[in-house]
Every structure is written in structure tokens, then in C-alpha cells.
Amino acid sequence: MNRIEGKLILITGASSGIGAACARRFAAEGAKLVLWARRVDRLERLSADLRERHATSALLAQVDVRDRAAVNRAAGDLVAGGHVPDVLINNAGLASGMSKIHEGDPEDWDRMIDTNLKGLLNVTRAILPHMVARRRGHVVNLGSTAGHMTYPQGNVYNATKYGVRALSEGMNLDVAGTPIRVSSVDPGFAETEFSEVRFHGDAARAKAVYRGFQPLTADDIADAIAYVVNLPEHVNVLDMVIVPTAQRNVYVVDRNES
Ligand code: NDP
Ligand code: 8X3
């Protein structure tokens, strides 16, 4: 049964990877979309493609989730236009750098904390009150296996995703008394632009992360998120951890190096 059709779904970080795959998947299921990211040119290309394939028109906004005023403006415009999302996918996020904590770059730390934690909070604070007011909605946060187990040099990225896990649990408690659902989808290695962003554009180093095994794709995660969103209203996935079969824990991976 398709419970996605007709829903208004806001996806942050929809210009790439998992966010863009969710947009394609939800458009195919007949959802109405609100797409946010900083690279609005990419959103426009994605939206044109969705219009052609599925006759869906998406509402787009250039939003840096770190910019609380911009988030509030974009959310205000939506709500003023009568568009309270049925589903919020808090997907915008990144890793920046990978180094020992005593050698880490505080600029990288700020980028991760400001995006993954404060950005997710900014968006949630702007959208969730409207869901609570009308007693309807579903928030899906992108956590990570990195929020379940630390790995060498993952330190601050790990901390942000542990934080996202705490926020998902906390949000779910705080909406008690309403039928609103809060879910966390926590992928392991998925080959997107994630590692290129982490390694500041070093494509060869990014490619090496996925060498010797079959990683997840953005579409695999979009499938998982679509499953979570499509469940009947009395069913909630609190936390779904999804990894490539070769990934045995956050950093143990069966690699075929021959
Ligand atoms: P991508 O780099 O492919 O996509 C990240 C998206 O986040 C982009 O659309 C980017 O858009 C957006 N984004 C980043 N910073 C901001 C910002 N300040 N404001 C608004 N949007 C922003 O990576 P993924 O698709 O892999 O990552 C999506 C989420 O999944 C992240 O939260 C990541 O931590 C999580 N994740 C990824 C895993 C993986 O292995 N790939 C595994 C586990 C979790 P733009 O630059 O245009 O603003
Ligand atoms: C991304 C997964 O293991 O590359 O959240 O940090 S990992």
C-alpha cells in the first residue's frame, strides 16, 4: 500500500547523495516535495528532471541549515503558503576531515557541529511546532553507524552522530501525547559525495574508502527511508541501522584486495 502518495515531504540536503535519491524515490511514489540545500542550481536541475519524469513540481529554497535566520525564513514562507510538511527528512550533513583529535582542525569541527547538530536543530525547531500544532507529522533523522561506535580519527564526526542519536531519542520523548513519529535511519558506508567532502575534494582518497567491497548506494538508503515513511501510523521505526553486507561493524569491512 502506498501511504507516501500526496504527502508533503521536506528534504534537507537534497542536492546530492541520499537526499537527492530520496527526492527521486518520493517523487516516483507521488509525494509533493520541498527541497533545501545550498547548491540551488543542483536543486533546479533535479526538480526539472522530476517534473519531466513524474510531473511533480517541487518547492525549492537555497538554505544553509547553519543559518538559523535563513532556515526560519524558508520555513516561514512554507507555512505562510499553507505548506506544513507531513514528513521532515533531516538529511543535510557532512564529515569534514579525518585526523587524530590532537591534530584536528577546529574549522572542520565547527563545520560538522554546526551542520550535523545545530543545523538539524534549527530545521527541527522551525518545522516541528507546526506538526505538533496540527498533531500530524513524521521526522526522519539521518544518523549513522558512526553514532553507534567510534572509529580511529572519527572523533568529532562520531560525536555529532552520537548527538543526532540522542536528539532522535529526545525528540521522540518530547512529542509524547501526539501521534507524531520520530525515526532515525543510520547507514554505514554509502558511496555518495560524502567522502569527497570529508577529504576536501581528494577524489582518489574518497574512492579508496569503498575499495574491495560493494558499498551501499544512495538509492539503498532512499529505499530504507521510504519503507520507514510508508509504515502505517501506529508503527514507528525508532532506529534502523543499515550496512553493506561486507561491513561487519563501523570499521571492520571484508575487503577483497586481490
Ligand atoms: P553528500 O555529500 O552526497 O550529500 C550531503 C548533502 O548535505 C548535500 O546535498 C549538501 O548540499 C547537504 N548539506 C551539507 N551541508 C549543508 C548545509 N550547511 N546546509 C544545507 N545542506 C547542506 O552525502 P550523503 O548523501 O552521503 O549524506 C547525507 C547524510 O547521510 C549526512 O547527514 C551524512 O552524515 C549521512 N550519512 C552518510 C553516510 C555515507 O556513508 N554516505 C553514512 C551514514 C550517514 P549542499 O552542499 O548543496 O548544501
Ligand atoms: C558515514 C559513515 O563510517 O564513513 O556516516 O563515518 S562513516
PDB file of all heavy atoms in Angstrom, residues 144 146 151 157 189 194 198, ligand 2:
ATOM      1  N   SER A 144      23.891   7.532  11.796  1.00  0.00           N
ATOM      2  CA  SER A 144      24.980   6.805  11.134  1.00  0.00           C
ATOM      3  C   SER A 144      25.424   5.671  12.043  1.00  0.00           C
ATOM      4  O   SER A 144      25.247   5.742  13.269  1.00  0.00           O
ATOM      5  CB  SER A 144      26.157   7.759  10.905  1.00  0.00           C
ATOM      6  OG  SER A 144      27.303   7.055  10.458  1.00  0.00           O
ATOM      7  N   ALA A 146      28.277   5.560  12.616  1.00  0.00           N
ATOM      8  CA  ALA A 146      29.255   6.370  13.365  1.00  0.00           C
ATOM      9  C   ALA A 146      28.658   6.959  14.640  1.00  0.00           C
ATOM     10  O   ALA A 146      29.387   7.514  15.466  1.00  0.00           O
ATOM     11  CB  ALA A 146      29.791   7.487  12.475  1.00  0.00           C
ATOM     12  N   TYR A 151      35.350   5.210  15.615  1.00  0.00           N
ATOM     13  CA  TYR A 151      36.454   4.603  14.860  1.00  0.00           C
ATOM     14  C   TYR A 151      37.638   5.573  14.893  1.00  0.00           C
ATOM     15  O   TYR A 151      37.446   6.782  15.118  1.00  0.00           O
ATOM     16  CB  TYR A 151      36.034   4.242  13.435  1.00  0.00           C
ATOM     17  CG  TYR A 151      35.418   5.354  12.607  1.00  0.00           C
ATOM     18  CD1 TYR A 151      36.209   6.252  11.889  1.00  0.00           C
ATOM     19  CD2 TYR A 151      34.035   5.503  12.542  1.00  0.00           C
ATOM     20  CE1 TYR A 151      35.640   7.254  11.122  1.00  0.00           C
ATOM     21  CE2 TYR A 151      33.458   6.514  11.777  1.00  0.00           C
ATOM     22  CZ  TYR A 151      34.276   7.387  11.070  1.00  0.00           C
ATOM     23  OH  TYR A 151      33.706   8.385  10.321  1.00  0.00           O
ATOM     24  N   TYR A 157      33.206  13.740  14.101  1.00  0.00           N
ATOM     25  CA  TYR A 157      32.061  13.250  13.307  1.00  0.00           C
ATOM     26  C   TYR A 157      31.274  12.238  14.141  1.00  0.00           C
ATOM     27  O   TYR A 157      30.046  12.301  14.222  1.00  0.00           O
ATOM     28  CB  TYR A 157      32.525  12.623  11.984  1.00  0.00           C
ATOM     29  CG  TYR A 157      31.357  12.139  11.147  1.00  0.00           C
ATOM     30  CD1 TYR A 157      30.481  13.047  10.564  1.00  0.00           C
ATOM     31  CD2 TYR A 157      31.105  10.777  10.968  1.00  0.00           C
ATOM     32  CE1 TYR A 157      29.380  12.605   9.816  1.00  0.00           C
ATOM     33  CE2 TYR A 157      30.022  10.335  10.221  1.00  0.00           C
ATOM     34  CZ  TYR A 157      29.165  11.251   9.646  1.00  0.00           C
ATOM     35  OH  TYR A 157      28.073  10.826   8.912  1.00  0.00           O
ATOM     36  N   PHE A 189      28.623   2.443   5.299  1.00  0.00           N
ATOM     37  CA  PHE A 189      29.270   3.021   4.115  1.00  0.00           C
ATOM     38  C   PHE A 189      28.336   3.097   2.914  1.00  0.00           C
ATOM     39  O   PHE A 189      27.907   2.074   2.374  1.00  0.00           O
ATOM     40  CB  PHE A 189      30.477   2.174   3.700  1.00  0.00           C
ATOM     41  CG  PHE A 189      31.661   2.310   4.618  1.00  0.00           C
ATOM     42  CD1 PHE A 189      32.142   1.222   5.327  1.00  0.00           C
ATOM     43  CD2 PHE A 189      32.314   3.528   4.751  1.00  0.00           C
ATOM     44  CE1 PHE A 189      33.250   1.336   6.162  1.00  0.00           C
ATOM     45  CE2 PHE A 189      33.423   3.654   5.581  1.00  0.00           C
ATOM     46  CZ  PHE A 189      33.893   2.562   6.291  1.00  0.00           C
ATOM     47  N   PHE A 194      29.901  11.988   0.043  1.00  0.00           N
ATOM     48  CA  PHE A 194      30.279  12.128   1.455  1.00  0.00           C
ATOM     49  C   PHE A 194      31.798  12.128   1.668  1.00  0.00           C
ATOM     50  O   PHE A 194      32.344  13.020   2.327  1.00  0.00           O
ATOM     51  CB  PHE A 194      29.615  10.984   2.242  1.00  0.00           C
ATOM     52  CG  PHE A 194      29.975  10.931   3.694  1.00  0.00           C
ATOM     53  CD1 PHE A 194      29.275  11.675   4.636  1.00  0.00           C
ATOM     54  CD2 PHE A 194      31.023  10.130   4.142  1.00  0.00           C
ATOM     55  CE1 PHE A 194      29.611  11.622   5.984  1.00  0.00           C
ATOM     56  CE2 PHE A 194      31.363  10.081   5.482  1.00  0.00           C
ATOM     57  CZ  PHE A 194      30.657  10.821   6.401  1.00  0.00           C
ATOM     58  N   ARG A 198      34.411  14.916   2.813  1.00  0.00           N
ATOM     59  CA  ARG A 198      35.239  14.704   4.019  1.00  0.00           C
ATOM     60  C   ARG A 198      36.714  14.995   3.742  1.00  0.00           C
ATOM     61  O   ARG A 198      37.386  15.624   4.540  1.00  0.00           O
ATOM     62  CB  ARG A 198      35.070  13.260   4.520  1.00  0.00           C
ATOM     63  CG  ARG A 198      36.162  12.846   5.488  1.00  0.00           C
ATOM     64  CD  ARG A 198      35.891  11.515   6.154  1.00  0.00           C
ATOM     65  NE  ARG A 198      35.415  11.769   7.500  1.00  0.00           N
ATOM     66  CZ  ARG A 198      35.021  10.832   8.350  1.00  0.00           C
ATOM     67  NH1 ARG A 198      34.998   9.571   7.993  1.00  0.00           N
ATOM     68  NH2 ARG A 198      34.638  11.150   9.562  1.00  0.00           N
TER      69      ARG A 198
HETATM   70  C1  8X3 B   2      29.174   7.883   7.447  1.00  0.00           C
HETATM   71  C2  8X3 B   2      29.675   6.511   7.728  1.00  0.00           C
HETATM   72  O1  8X3 B   2      31.650   5.224   8.630  1.00  0.00           O
HETATM   73  O2  8X3 B   2      32.080   6.823   6.846  1.00  0.00           O
HETATM   74  O3  8X3 B   2      28.328   8.303   8.474  1.00  0.00           O
HETATM   75  O4  8X3 B   2      31.619   7.558   9.095  1.00  0.00           O
HETATM   76  S1  8X3 B   2      31.338   6.560   8.098  1.00  0.00           S
END
